[in-house]
């Protein structure tokens, strides 16, 4: 009985130790918008993400994840990003997200027919004001319909103190 107890404790420790040794992501916000072949991303889609900043004395990482089909026909995805600050000031930036190199090799993590592209929009970002922020991502392609994009996720990760 005592040998079984010892082996049970060792097995339990081996299973729990890896989980305890890794810090989970420290997201203060995480949301995504999904698309299907029946309802693909179109140029009028505005992907709106609203989040609150309570601590202006720390850094934040702004992260984007894009799931796409391996048959996505372009090397990049053009988007326009509108940021609305708590004082209602807006800033707009156009961004070309490079998903593949010139030969068509994906920069994404591909499994099966689906690839996931990870992008740090901004690392160690500083939010100067407490309050409600809004990030709006708008497709900015020359095509009305953007096929083979399955999901666009936006995350705000708490980083260290500044």
């Amino acid at each position: 009985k005592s040998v079984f107890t010892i082996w049970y404790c060792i097995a339990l420790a081996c299973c729990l130790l890896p989980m305890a040794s890794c810090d989970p992501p420290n997201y203060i916000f995480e949301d995504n918008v999904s698309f299907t072949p029946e309802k693909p991303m179109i140029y009028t889609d505005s992907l709106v993400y609203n989040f609150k900043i309570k601590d202006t004395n720390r850094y934040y990482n702004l992260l984007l994840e894009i799931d796409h089909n391996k048959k996505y026909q372009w090397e990049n995805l053009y988007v326009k990003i509108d940021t609305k600050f708590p004082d209602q000031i807006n800033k707009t930036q156009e961004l070309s997200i490079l998903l593949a190199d010139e030969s068509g090799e994906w920069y994404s993590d591909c499994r099966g027919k689906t690839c996931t592209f990870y992008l740090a929009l901004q690392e160690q970002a500083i939010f100067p004001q407490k309050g409600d922020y809004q990030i709006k991502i708008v497709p900015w392609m020359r095509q009305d319909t953007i096929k083979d994009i399955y999901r666009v996720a936006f995350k705000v990760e708490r980083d260290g103190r500044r």
Side-chain angles (χ1 to χ4, degrees):
K1 185 175 179 179
S2 64
V3 172
F4 174 75
T5 304
I6 291 172
W7 280 110
Y8 178 77
C9 290
I10 290 171
L12 187 62
C14 289
C15 291
L16 294 178
L17 188 60
M19 289 187 270
S21 64
C22 298
D23 289 334
N26 202 358
Y27 301 131
I28 64 162
F29 177 82
E30 179 176 10
D31 195 12
N32 66 75
V33 177
S34 296
F35 303 96
T36 64
E38 297 78 32
K39 188 184 177 296
M41 178 186 264
I42 57 175
Y43 77 98
T44 57
D45 285 329
S46 291
L47 316 180
V48 179
Y49 305 100
N50 295 298
F51 59 96
K52 184 180 287 289
I53 295 295
K54 296 178 183 176
D55 186 354
T56 58
N57 292 317
R58 67 170 57 251
Y59 294 110
Y60 297 90
N61 299 320
L62 307 180
L63 308 171
L64 198 62
E65 289 179 14
I66 300 169
D67 289 348
H68 63 88
N69 190 307
K70 274 187 176 176
K71 294 181 180 178
Y72 180 73
Q73 60 184 331
W74 297 287
E75 294 173 6
N76 53 19
L77 174 67
Y78 287 97
V79 296
K80 185 169 73 167
I81 300 176
D82 293 322
T83 306
K84 183 191 264 184
F85 293 81
D87 60 6
Q88 302 305 305
I89 290 178
N90 289 323
K91 290 191 177 180
T92 301
Q93 175 185 357
E94 292 177 13
L95 179 65
S96 172
I97 301 170
L98 195 58
L99 301 173
D101 64 19
E102 291 178 3
S103 70
E105 280 293 313
W106 296 114
Y107 293 128
S108 311
D109 178 19
C110 296
R111 293 167 193 216
K113 294 180 182 178
T114 303
C115 302
T116 301
F117 181 77
Y118 302 95
L119 175 66
L121 286 173
Q122 189 171 356
E123 294 181 307
Q124 295 198 329
I126 297 171
F127 289 99
Q129 307 164 24
K130 291 181 183 180
D132 297 323
Y133 285 80
Q134 181 183 83
I135 299 288
K136 185 186 325 182
I137 300 173
V138 180
W140 209 244
M141 302 283 284
R142 293 181 182 175
Q143 301 288 320
D144 291 347
T145 302
I146 302 127
K147 296 178 182 176
D148 296 326
I149 296 290
Y150 298 140
R151 181 182 68 97
V152 178
F154 176 73
K155 300 176 183 185
V156 179
E157 180 183 45
R158 186 177 307 134
D159 205 349
R161 288 225 171 273
R162 57 183 180 119

